[in-house]
Amino acid sequence: MSYPEPRYFGETGEHSGTFQLAGREPDLSMGVGGTQVHYLATGGSTNGAYGLYRWEMGPRPGGPDPHFHRTMTESFYVLSGTIRLYNGEKWADGKPGDFLFLPEGGVHAFKNESGEPASMLILFTPGAPREAYFEELAGIATTGRQLSPEEWTELYLRHDQYMV
């Protein structure tokens, strides 16, 4: 393994860092489950390098069923509470400090089944436009719209999500 090809060619560096301070409002609320999402760094803000999101789940059960992605890796780092993490073979109770990495094609899922709030960081590499997917799911949850199996499949495929 070696360093990737340079992406910056300036001689003196630049003042281009951005802050996402902890006290700000969430960027998205995901319907009745109480999940709130903070867009810490999107693919758009990182020039496609990665996307990083703080996922704060309420006490109601929720989370995606097992699935995989063809175009990106996904990683989970538990910040608080207990989050059930699935690595494609088994479920584990993720506690603060626990980490799960999935390469492209890695079957995974997560759920909050604890009855208590829980939070984690979710990292995608490269930085795909996951915000559009999250916002579409939030819109469906908020309106109570019922999708047909074909509509769910189309939504997932548009967002590089393959259910197993």
Side-chain angles (χ1 to χ4, degrees):
M1 174 67 65
S2 62
Y3 280 97
E5 291 296 315
R7 294 175 50 165
Y8 176 76
F9 298 98
E11 294 298 322
T12 61
E14 57 186 43
H15 304 279
S16 55
T18 59
F19 285 112
Q20 294 290 343
L21 300 176
R24 69 186 183 87
E25 292 294 315
D27 294 287
L28 182 64
S29 293
M30 301 282 288
V32 297
T35 296
Q36 297 183 327
V37 183
H38 296 263
Y39 298 169
L40 301 176
T42 65
S45 69
T46 65
N47 201 24
Y50 67 93
L52 180 64
Y53 307 87
R54 188 170 73 236
W55 204 263
E56 299 175 336
M57 294 182 279
R60 294 186 58 188
D65 290 329
H67 63 280
F68 67 93
H69 309 288
R70 294 182 188 271
T71 65
M72 60 195 165
T73 71
E74 190 168 1
S75 298
F76 303 92
Y77 182 81
V78 179
L79 296 171
S80 67
T82 301
I83 300 173
R84 301 273 298 153
L85 298 171
Y86 182 63
N87 72 351
E89 293 181 39
K90 64 181 180 176
W91 288 91
D93 285 336
K95 304 280 188 189
D98 289 342
F99 177 77
L100 172 63
F101 168 75
L102 289 306
E104 297 90 341
V107 174
H108 62 284
F110 65 87
K111 299 198 179 289
N112 180 8
E113 299 173 335
S114 69
E116 299 292 328
S119 65
M120 65 182 166
L121 295 175
I122 302 177
L123 174 71
F124 295 96
T125 63
R130 296 303 283 171
E131 310 79 49
Y133 174 64
F134 300 152
E135 291 165 10
E136 196 164 348
L137 288 180
I140 292 166
T142 302
T143 63
R145 183 174 155 222
Q146 298 296 311
L147 273 63
S148 69
E150 295 80 19
E151 289 172 313
W152 278 115
T153 298
E154 190 275 328
L155 179 139
Y156 292 144
L157 292 178
R158 260 189 301 115
H159 296 286
D160 185 36
Q161 187 150 317
Y162 299 84
M163 305 309 285
V164 293

